[in-house]
Structures are given as structure tokens and as C-alpha cells.
Amino acid sequence: EAQVTQNPRYLITVTGKKLTVTCSQNMNHEYMSWYRQDPGLGLRQIYYSMNVEVTDKGDVPEGYKVSRKEKRNFPLILESPSPNQTSLYFCASSLLASGRASAGELFFGEGSRLTVL
Amino acid sequence: LAKTTQPISMDSYEGQEVNITCSHNNIATNDYITWYQQFPSQGPRFIIQGYKTKVTNEVASLFIPADRKSSTLSLPRVSLSDTAVYYCLVGDIWDDKIIFGKGTRLHILP
């Protein structure tokens, strides 16, 4: 089954304790992205990646890191989490970068709800 | 990337046709219009995409006038399960930054 898998789905942590949210897709998509969603603010893009070893900042990258060492994985790293990073996080992937005219659909994971105390 | 403007919220009743309009005055020649649906605590789900005129699939229709400065997502005969947030996105399929706005919160009443 084609899917984007995020882990963990739920996490409560404390300020300053490094954590990683993993994201894996099995669709051979080149494009991957992380979003955070907060009440009243909609979905905001954190980082995105056009392909392996190619990453770039979205609208709200502060406090986050990413890496894209393999095509299928795009982990989100919070080196020193703070309470303002409490949010619902979504990973997404797409064939956008493949050059196919029919591309344009983003596939989302089920979300990771993070609470930083 | 073209900025989009949608109503913040809408209410409708089961069985009705619902039309959600998105304004995108600065749409560029290469931009496509894409709509997503999001249920609470789930990731957004692709509904439909179009470039001009009308596109229809098993879920919805997308109407785009000739000037492409707006678009209308049409949901036929909605049910309670169509209660969700609907996002309109405008961009080139080569866009690397994909921006979601705040969407339209659609509430279907019995």
C-alpha cells in the first residue's frame, strides 16, 4: 500500500531534549516536505527536499533540522525543543519534481502530535 | 506563488451542493489550482486539480473562469462526512515551496 509513515504519532517531551520524528514513503517520490499545523494558523511549511541531499527552508524553519540521505526517508530533528514547538506535524511526499505533467498530488502522513513541556 | 483568499468558514446542509470559491488574482501563466481536504487530526488529502475551464472527478468539480483569477470547488450533495477544512493552493507543478493557507472550514448540518 502506498503510504507516508511518521513516527512517533504522539510524543510528550521536555524542553531541550533532542528528538527526531521519522518520515518514510514507499512511493519513490523525489519531493518530501514537513509541515506544522497550529490552531488558527493553518499548515506552515518547515523544510522541503527536492531529492536526495537537496533540502531547503520553508516558511518556519527556525529550531528544526532535516536530512535527506535516502530517497524514502526525511527525518525532522528538533535539537533543543521548546514549548513553542508544541504542534501537530505532517510529513508529505510528491512526484512533483519528476517532470510528469500529471504530478501535483501531495501524499500526507497521519501526523505526529508533539508536546514540549 | 500566488496568494489565495478563501472564506474562513461555511455552513451547509446534507444533500445540498456546496461551492467554495478561492480568489487568486495574481495567478501566473504556469500555475495550477489544487484543492485539498483535511479531516481533524488527519493529513490533508488531494481532491482535485485543474488549469482552466472545468475538471470533474468522482468527488468534486472544479470550475475555473477564463481569466483564472478565481476558482470554485463544487461538492455535490454533501453529507455529514464532508465536514472538513478545504484548502485552495495555486502554483506551478515545478514549485518547490508549497504553501497552504488557512483554508475554509466547512460544516455540514443534518
Side-chain angles (χ1 to χ4, degrees):
Chain A
E1 179 189 353
Q3 58 186 2
V4 178
T5 304
Q6 298 178 223
N7 279 297
R9 295 286 315 283
Y10 302 91
L11 179 64
I12 300 174
T13 189
V14 295
T15 298
K17 186 176 181 181
K18 179 180 178 180
L19 69 91
T20 299
V21 186
T22 63
C23 175
S24 180
Q25 49 92 5
N26 62 1
M27 296 169 279
N28 202 36
H29 286 169
E30 288 109 336
Y31 182 96
M32 296 187 75
S33 181
W34 277 102
Y35 293 85
R36 63 176 287 174
Q37 187 167 39
D38 304 288
L41 296 177
L43 278 155
R44 294 181 292 168
Q45 191 176 43
I46 303 171
Y47 269 95
Y48 61 93
S49 170
M50 298 291 279
N51 214 324
V52 176
E53 303 292 0
V54 180
T55 63
D56 212 339
K57 296 177 180 178
D59 289 324
V60 288
E62 296 78 20
Y64 304 95
K65 287 175 59 177
V66 292
S67 68
R68 189 90 182 272
K69 293 183 171 58
E70 308 166 275
K71 198 171 188 178
R72 63 183 291 124
N73 295 323
F74 190 45
L76 179 70
I77 304 156
L78 285 72
E79 293 272 3
S80 183
S82 62
N84 65 12
Q85 292 178 298
T86 292
S87 188
L88 179 59
Y89 292 87
F90 290 102
C91 179
S93 72
S94 175
L95 274 170
L96 266 181
S98 73
R100 292 174 59 181
S102 61
E105 180 175 355
L106 272 171
F107 291 82
F108 281 81
E110 295 187 355
S112 296
R113 188 170 292 281
L114 171 65
T115 301
V116 183
L117 302 175
Chain B
L1 290 166
K3 179 176 165 55
T4 60
T5 303
Q6 303 175 234
I8 294 174
S9 65
M10 294 177 65
D11 289 341
S12 189
Y13 293 91
E14 280 193 292
Q16 299 291 307
E17 177 185 77
V18 171
N19 296 312
I20 306 174
T21 297
C22 179
S23 172
H24 28 80
N25 291 320
N26 296 322
I27 190 168
T29 303
N30 294 332
D31 285 346
Y32 279 72
I33 300 155
T34 311
W35 285 80
Y36 286 82
Q37 174 193 56
Q38 185 181 25
F39 297 115
S41 297
Q42 293 185 26
R45 182 177 69 125
F46 174 93
I47 300 176
I48 198 166
Q49 183 180 73
Y51 183 79
K52 62 180 179 181
T53 62
K54 178 183 174 182
V55 179
T56 297
N57 60 24
E58 64 277 6
V59 176
S61 294
L62 178 59
F63 297 92
I64 305 168
D67 66 6
R68 304 200 328 123
K69 293 184 182 301
S70 66
S71 59
T72 298
L73 174 73
S74 181
L75 305 171
R77 296 179 301 281
V78 294
S79 64
L80 295 175
S81 63
D82 291 315
T83 293
V85 178
Y86 292 82
Y87 296 93
C88 166
L89 281 70
V90 172
D92 190 300
I93 59 171
W94 296 101
D95 277 342
D96 41 23
K97 262 191 180 183
I98 303 174
I99 308 295
F100 284 75
K102 297 181 182 179
T104 297
R105 189 171 297 276
L106 176 64
H107 187 203
I108 304 301
L109 304 165

